[in-house]
Every structure is written in C-alpha cells, then in structure tokens.
Amino acid sequence: MVVNQVEYNLRVRDPEGDLLPYCQREGVTLMAYSPLDRGKLAKNPPRELRRIAEELGRTPAQVALNWLI
C-alpha cells in the first residue's frame, strides 16, 4: 500500500489540481493532513459551512470531514 499525505481540507484544495487525479489513476491513497485546517473549520467555520451543517443537523466538523471522504 502506498499513501501520500498532504495538506487537504475545504480551504486548502491544491491537491485537486494534478495530484489527486494522479493518485487515483496510479492507485495511491491520498491522506489528508490537517483535515480541519488546524481546527479552524471546527472552531470558526465559514458561513456556508455553518449553514450546510445546520441544514443537515450535523456539526461543521462532521460536514468538513465527510466532504473529504
């Protein structure tokens, strides 16, 4: 098993450019480093994330982590 751990979350989406497609194509698992942006997405979530969380009856952290999955 091969894993590439990179910073990836709702605010840092750089891996979506070339890295994520490459990993998917080559069977490399992409592991998110700092999936909650060092706690910022849980402690002070953006308005849109709060709205979606409220709509779903979940916490902003739950929504942010589920998005990664």
Side-chain angles (χ1 to χ4, degrees):
M1 175 184 227
V2 178
V3 177
N4 188 0
Q5 186 177 26
V6 296
E7 186 170 12
Y8 189 35
N9 55 57
L10 281 171
R11 289 189 174 140
V12 179
R13 298 179 62 181
D14 301 334
E16 293 174 6
D18 293 331
L19 183 59
L20 182 57
Y22 171 81
C23 289
Q24 290 171 331
R25 187 173 59 250
E26 299 298 323
V28 175
T29 299
L30 188 71
M31 181 185 291
Y33 165 75
S34 192
L36 294 175
D37 194 20
R38 295 168 179 79
K40 294 175 194 163
L41 291 172
K43 294 176 186 173
N44 189 23
R47 185 176 343 135
E48 186 68 8
L49 179 57
R50 278 195 308 266
R51 183 191 65 74
I52 292 169
E54 288 174 13
E55 195 174 287
L56 296 172
R58 301 288 187 252
T59 67
Q62 287 173 315
V63 173
L65 291 173
N66 197 46
W67 174 83
L68 282 170
I69 294 169

